[in-house]
Amino acid sequence: MEKKSKDIQQMFDDIAPKYDFLNRALSFRTDVAWRKKAIRLMNVQDGQTVLDLACGTADMMIELTKTGKNVTLIGGDFSHNMMKIGKQKMPGGIFSVSDAHCLPFKDKSFDRIMIAFGFRNVTDKAQGLREMHRVLKDGGCACILEFSQPQNPFFAWVYRLYFTKILPFIGGIISGNRKAYEYLPESVYKFPKRDAYRIMILEAGFKEAEFNPFTFGICDATICRK
């Protein structure tokens, strides 16, 4: 488990320079709209403290600042190279080296937690959820924005073709690391199905798991309420 986590960390360090460009190109910029929708669902209020877990290159942090909310915002990630780019994009931002399995924060530190396209990379997802629950204040919520699997059979077929064949080919050429873009669909198809996912969230201590599918079910923003 620890070795797999280290391998994922190294993979994201390697692809960091091309990460933003490929996100926009391979999603046809739909990822930008998904982030905005997820942030609206969190209902962030002035004066709150927000953690962007697996913050990567700080895209979610930047989108949250665009809302004009007066919040204390902290980005946490275990990839140094990704956070290095995030710091360049968001000078003056607060960043912390953070492993989702053992967050370096006190109990009940945050009103909101957001994690975009990073939860599937948490090797022990149950432990990651328990840690998010631990550092959330009572009444707070975590928003997990993650790829999902469409339910429509035809759309699911087209999606699988693009996701497993075309995306790794293009991503590999541009990033120089095809393995990283083969890992992406593999990690999505290994992600827990909705019923098992809901049980996992509730067993971590959350009171509610609210699923919000985007773009025919390609993506889902799950609101976990404490």
Side-chain angles (χ1 to χ4, degrees):
M1 187 82 68
E2 184 177 349
K3 183 183 183 301
K4 184 177 179 181
S5 187
K6 289 286 186 183
D7 289 344
I8 294 170
Q9 179 183 16
Q10 184 61 55
M11 180 181 69
F12 279 97
D13 276 339
D14 291 344
I15 67 173
K18 299 292 185 180
Y19 184 77
D20 282 348
F21 172 77
L22 282 167
N23 270 357
R24 304 297 177 270
L26 295 173
S27 73
F28 306 102
R29 289 193 64 83
T30 311
D31 66 305
V32 177
W34 290 338
R35 287 185 174 88
K36 290 178 179 178
K37 289 180 181 179
I39 287 170
R40 284 198 295 270
L41 286 170
M42 286 194 301
N43 191 28
V44 177
Q45 302 296 314
D46 286 335
Q48 291 186 331
T49 303
V50 182
L51 171 64
D52 183 13
L53 185 56
C55 66
T57 60
D59 278 344
M60 284 290 279
M61 298 173 71
I62 291 168
E63 285 299 333
L64 181 53
T65 61
K66 289 178 182 178
T67 66
K69 297 292 184 182
N70 180 23
V71 299
T72 299
L73 180 57
I74 298 173
D77 204 298
F78 70 169
S79 169
H80 295 270
N81 288 354
M82 296 283 275
M83 277 202 300
K84 182 179 178 180
I85 293 172
K87 290 175 182 178
Q88 292 170 354
K89 290 165 61 176
M90 196 172 178
I94 304 171
F95 292 85
S96 170
V97 177
S98 303
D99 186 330
H101 301 95
C102 185
L103 294 174
F105 307 108
K106 295 180 180 178
D107 295 358
K108 301 181 180 180
S109 295
F110 301 98
D111 298 283
R112 300 285 188 271
I113 296 175
M114 51 189 186
I115 175 168
F117 309 113
F119 188 61
R120 71 181 184 282
N121 303 317
V122 179
T123 51
D124 187 341
K125 293 176 177 56
Q127 174 60 18
L129 285 166
R130 286 192 293 269
E131 277 294 276
M132 283 190 272
H133 183 271
R134 178 183 67 79
V135 301
L136 263 178
K137 296 178 183 178
D138 295 336
C141 73
C143 177
I144 303 173
L145 180 64
E146 194 52 87
F147 287 111
S148 186
Q149 299 180 42
Q151 298 302 306
N152 179 279
F154 175 73
F155 196 73
W157 177 81
V158 174
Y159 174 73
R160 181 179 285 271
L161 175 66
Y162 176 73
F163 216 39
T164 60
K165 303 297 183 183
I166 300 172
L167 183 146
F169 176 73
I170 297 173
I173 289 176
I174 296 174
S175 71
N177 189 334
R178 179 172 178 132
K179 185 178 179 181
Y181 287 89
E182 290 174 338
Y183 164 79
L184 172 57
E186 175 188 325
S187 65
V188 172
Y189 285 109
K190 286 183 177 179
F191 198 81
K193 303 297 184 188
R194 180 169 292 185
D195 288 346
Y197 187 25
R198 184 191 301 276
I199 291 171
M200 189 183 296
I201 291 168
L202 297 179
E203 286 183 343
F206 290 96
K207 295 178 181 177
E208 182 185 353
E210 173 192 302
F211 297 97
N212 300 275
F214 300 155
T215 316
F216 307 107
I218 288 178
C219 185
D220 182 273
T222 305
I223 302 296
C224 310
R225 304 187 191 280
K226 180 174 178 179

